[in-house]
Amino acid sequence: AAWAGDLPSSSSSSSSSRPLPPCQEVSSTWSLTWSLPRGRGRAFSCASGEYLEMKNQVCSKCAEGTYSLGSGIKFDEWDELPAGFSNVATFMDTVVGPSDNRPDGCNNSSWIPRGNYIESNRDDCTVSLIYAVHLKKSGYVFFEYQYVDNNIFFEFFIQNDQCQEMDTTTDKWVKLTDNGEWGSHSVMLKSGTNILYWRTTGILMGSKAVKPVLVKNITIEGVAYTSECFPCKPGTFSNRPGSFNCQVCPRNTYSEKGAKECIRCKEDAQFSEEGSSECTERPPCTTKDYFQIHTPCDEDGKTQIMYKWIEPKICREDLTDAIRLPPSGEKKDCPPCNPGFYNNGSSTCQPCPPGTFSDGTKECRPCPAGTEPALGFEYKWWNVLPGNMKTSCFNVGNSKCDGMNGWEVAGDHIQSGAGGSDNDYLILNLHIPGFKPPTSMTGATGSELGRITFVFETLCSADCVLYFMVVKNIYSSWGEISEEAQVTDKVQGILTCRKFLCKNMHQRFINDMVKIYSIIATNAVDGVASSCRACALGSEQSGSSCVPCPPGHYIEKETNQCKECPPDTYLSIHQVYGKEACIPCGPGSKSTQDHSVCYSDCFFYHEKENQSLHYDFSNLSSVGSLMNGPSFTSKGTKYFHFFNISLCGHEGKKMALCTNNISDFTVKEMVAGSDDYTNLVGAFVCQSTIIPSESKGFRAALSSQSIILADTFLGVTVETTLQNINIKEDMFPVSPSQIPDVHFFYKSSTTTTSCINGRSTAVKMRCNPTKPGAGVISVPSKCPAGTCDGCAFYFLWESAEACPLCTEHDFHEIEGACKRGFQETLYVWNEPKWCIKGISLPEKKLSTCETVDFWLKVGAGVGAFTAVLLVALTCYFWKKNQKLEYKYSKLVMTTNSKECELPAADSCAIMEGEDNEEEVVYSNKQSLLGKLKSLATKEKEDHFESVQLKSSRSPNI
């Protein structure tokens, strides 16, 4: 009888709830069985608020200060780990129990009780929270949780006593929740032994801290009975027998464990929050304990400044260093109305009628012809809270802030109020029914429908965070903002509400605040106008001065007429007025037919040294993949970076897909094997973190933290710089060829705190004939993750398909020998060959030719004739030379016979046939070459000689 119903050392339930080691170490298990008393033919099942009295075998009501679920057990108190729960840490496939010596990195890894909930580990160890229960009938397990950070994997699954996963654990991955909100998870349980696992694994990359998983209110239904009731936890009470739950103590009261009633705190000296287990001394009042508000404007345009204590008031004014509440009632001039509103002499600002506009200081005026109101909301004066805004407070532990007001208006800004604890979230909600594009933008593909812009400032003594959340009919998303900035959010779809949420991270700094100075929402449905803008004129719409422009058309400023954007330009999504709204596409790209986006058709042309290079990357247009690594976290967890690259996309459509939390991360099977695209991100380049199956004991590879690296195509060029994206030459090895590399440039439109200009991606396409087909994609050795700063990513894609198309400059001809009057000419590629496809090699050419014997005969004849001619010329010039030498010798002898006396004439006349031997030639002695030259030119020149004849007269004459 002592063992019937419960193990003596366990918590009060009929389950076997002892700590269990992991299944791979279990060699045997204890099972709990019992026999019913004689005469009982059924199992006991007590109602809620009752327990089984073992002695009499009857169900009795629980006493005051306790409660019971009847056939269930509940764990809602986490000051320490309840009996039956155990922590098991796994590090690099090594399992260690609670009492074992864990590896250095996992000594302190465990689920940590935090009072109202239990918190998971924050490191990259795998820690399982385990509870075993034996059910006599089918039941269920239910728990509430917060899971906001996908840097942690959170799974819940069930095993039987044979360490086999049960069918109900098919979908074991728990879904993410929004910040500050509790989600719930429920799984059916079968009768018999059920071992419950809550398992988390952190994937830490970099120094960013992860947000832990929180779990509370674990309830298990299906046990046969409970043998005793559970005491109420501190801060709750039960004042009547047979309770199935405990009530929360009201404010300024407290209770201890198992209380029948709550005890009041000392008035004016102590206070407590709702559900407190003790009272706290009231501190002296400070300037942080009150706030000021502005009353609505009166007929004189005045507003009163009023001061109020923050409720509930917890401070004391009677202490020495306490301050008093400043006097209220001071009057000041009212601030002007917000743009789009006007003051008609009443105490409130009214929205301008449709078709009119106002800057808030003047009356509403109608828009002139050819213009339309620029609808939206702009709030920059905070005298009263706008009608479409509301403020509230949310507490993580108690689901309410006990009457706190949240955000407060303060003239030129709205500020977050003081929080009561570090679990308070102060929420500002802006409701906008939807976004409607202006008439001039209708029909534009992928146009921006609306934009939210707000300017804020954080005034914090420690860590505090401002969150920004979009709640739409499609999805919800949170964005964390932690510094002073101007934040802009693009909206596509119908918006139901906006939330600005301030979270104080430390309770001792609950008075830190965030100020928002202005909020602007454009193109809002039912919005007001602060100005008018030009629009396209036409007569198609009766009663309207504006008509829609077709897609890809801008509004000409001079005539307000629609004009199509020039070729290879795309229409800006921010404005459509003037030709400057058509933005030129980058080099090597063209625009779609509707001028909505630029894209590459995978063809590229480049002129190099009077040579034209044509590239065709169409065979590489399908998605290329790269998984590099492995990399390791500081604790040794292995992971890989997996990249998908869509080089050209498909006419602007992004073809690369990445996903979260799947077992198969290949693109082909990802798309073909699932119709659920909610976790997919599409881009030109995207990245996922892959945790292999052999790491951390996972049964299948997991993909997480998928991010978009590039969603906008910039251009194609051989240059290494485009739009501030620079590829350093030392990032990759130098190309062995003279063929220039081609660079594809992309960017991401999403900005982060670390990448204020967004992420950028450059893909270097390199010709490599040794790598056919899809080739090989690699990252720089200096940056093994593809990036060195987390913002600029670089890839090298080597393939034969990246070579230019072949031209006539890529081959040469080889002439063969002339045989039998015919000669062959062959064409071969230049080696090494750095081209593909393009033109083909010409066929070999056959031409007629003369043989060598004929030319030998011709050569011999020419040689013989030349030899005879040379001999004849030699003889002729030799004879001439002899005759000249004789004349010269005779002249010299005659001249030297008598000084200054001419020789006497031998005769008075020249005989026929004789030469004149008295001819005097004045010349210097020449060389043989000079003589030959003179003789050769004698007959060609008009030559005159002076000759002094002899005289027979006396010299005296």
Side-chain angles (χ1 to χ4, degrees), residues 148-162:
V148 298
D149 194 341
N150 63 1
N151 288 288
I152 289 184
F153 291 104
F154 180 33
E155 52 182 328
F156 174 76
F157 59 94
I158 306 165
Q159 290 182 340
N160 57 21
D161 54 0
Q162 302 300 320

Side-chain angles (χ1 to χ4, degrees), residues 439 607 815:
T439 56
E607 189 78 21
E815 294 183 350

Side-chain angles (χ1 to χ4, degrees), residues 418-450:
S421 69
D422 58 353
N423 289 325
D424 289 341
Y425 285 83
L426 308 179
I427 301 174
L428 179 65
N429 188 299
L430 169 62
H431 176 75
I432 298 177
F435 287 86
K436 180 179 180 181
T439 56
S440 56
M441 293 179 61
T442 54
T445 302
S447 61
E448 179 182 295
L449 299 183

